[in-house]
Amino acid sequence: AVVSTQSTGESAPLKSVDKNTTRTDGRKWNELRPLFLKVGIITKAQGSAYIEMGNTKLIAAVYGPKEILRREEFSLKGKVNCEFKFMPFSRAHYCEPRQNFEEKMISKCICDAMEGVILLEKFPKALVDISVQVIQDDGSALALALTAASVALINANIEVKDLVVGTTLRYFENSDVLVDPTAEEEHGPFSKFTGGAGFHLAVLPSLSQISYLKQTGKIEQSQARDCIETCWETCLRLATGIKNLLQESIDSDAPR
């Protein structure tokens, strides 16, 4: 099952944008890029998901649950291991094959979020391996990685509390707000000289719970609350489409 929309063009150098104007790729301040999502594309994995958001593209795969062989790692609950990696030519600069500090930190973020949603007590003495690879990074990679990992878990028929849906938001000191930022909007020169803050939020939409929240930069408390509420509403919008896709996938796999 596939949900596909027409892609926007390459991100261009960003200028100051307020809520009444369009961004350099033609979007409004709270408009999401086109979404493409497909599950079950890696045959050797128990579950997998390929996701595009505009020009950001990544793939997640789940292997297991598999038995933990070393006795010292025995646990009454299952364990989760995650490896996140930017592929060598996924960014403007070359990415080394060995994991760097940023990738290790993102791996831990995904692992912590998935541990909180998987029903680990269902498979004691077992390990779930999650691999997330970014094929092309044009912003919001962490949020998409959280979403893709969750979809891959569901595709692997691993019991979870709910779907995890993530989004990213950039807030600037001049009060500009950009939802689902491109790489230029998230990391480019514009964001460097105006300061502000970045938000990465993942939610469990059916349970109305936050699965993951990360804030970078400085921002007033009231403004931070508004940004988090905007992220929450964005996640709920995304969740509707993703759930429809997963239901279509289940229906298509059902015996006739």
Side-chain angles (χ1 to χ4, degrees):
V2 181
V3 170
S4 178
T5 54
Q6 186 177 359
S7 174
T8 58
E10 296 288 340
S11 55
L14 185 71
K15 298 180 180 179
S16 182
V17 179
D18 62 38
K19 294 183 179 181
N20 297 315
T21 62
T22 55
R23 295 148 76 169
T24 52
D25 60 6
R27 289 184 290 152
K28 297 178 181 179
W29 70 275
N30 62 346
E31 187 176 349
L32 298 169
R33 290 174 290 177
L35 172 69
F36 177 96
L37 180 61
K38 187 172 183 179
V39 298
I41 64 171
I42 300 179
T43 56
K44 292 185 179 181
Q46 276 65 50
S48 58
Y50 172 81
I51 188 168
E52 294 181 7
M53 199 74 157
N55 293 315
T56 298
K57 306 171 184 179
L58 54 83
I59 189 167
V62 171
Y63 301 91
K66 52 190 177 184
E67 184 181 0
I68 297 175
L69 299 178
R70 288 183 290 183
R71 182 172 297 180
E72 62 269 22
E73 292 186 359
F74 172 81
S75 173
L76 292 176
K77 289 186 175 183
K79 292 189 175 183
V80 180
N81 178 62
C82 180
E83 182 178 80
F84 174 93
K85 190 77 187 72
F86 290 103
M87 297 191 71
F89 299 100
S90 60
R91 311 180 96 175
H93 60 275
Y94 177 77
C95 301
E96 295 290 339
R98 179 180 297 181
Q99 262 195 329
N100 60 26
F101 178 76
E102 178 189 9
E103 293 165 331
K104 290 178 180 178
M105 292 303 297
I106 294 176
S107 296
K108 187 178 186 307
C109 292
I110 298 172
C111 188
D112 290 345
M114 296 306 114
E115 282 182 341
V117 74
I118 299 173
L119 300 179
L120 295 173
E121 64 275 10
K122 295 288 186 177
F123 46 96
K125 300 188 293 182
L127 174 70
V128 175
D129 272 318
I130 303 173
S131 170
V132 181
Q133 292 185 313
V134 179
I135 301 168
Q136 184 175 343
D137 178 21
D138 189 26
S140 306
L142 172 55
L144 283 177
L146 290 163
T147 303
S150 175
V151 172
L153 286 169
I154 294 172
N155 183 241
N157 294 319
I158 292 176
E159 292 188 64
V160 294
K161 298 175 183 176
D162 196 0
L163 171 70
V164 178
V165 180
T167 194
T168 299
L169 177 147
R170 279 291 283 129
Y171 172 88
F172 304 103
E173 289 180 349
N174 61 356
S175 297
D176 287 346
V177 177
L178 301 178
V179 174
D180 181 29
T182 63
E184 183 68 25
E185 293 168 342
E186 187 175 5
H187 304 297
F190 176 76
S191 58
K192 290 180 181 177
F193 69 73
T194 58
F199 291 86
H200 305 275
L201 180 74
V203 306
L204 308 180
S206 297
L207 299 177
S208 296
Q209 295 178 1
I210 292 178
S211 172
Y212 176 80
L213 173 61
K214 177 183 179 182
Q215 176 194 328
T216 58
K218 296 181 179 180
I219 186 173
E220 295 292 332
Q221 183 175 353
S222 61
Q223 295 167 328
R225 184 170 57 250
D226 290 342
C227 288
I228 293 172
E229 288 178 357
T230 299
C231 286
W232 179 277
E233 293 168 358
T234 303
C235 287
L236 294 182
R237 279 194 285 152
L238 277 170
T240 301
I242 294 172
K243 285 182 176 180
N244 289 339
L245 165 70
L246 290 172
Q247 187 60 54
E248 289 176 14
S249 177
I250 292 172
D251 292 343
S252 64
D253 291 340
R256 300 184 184 277

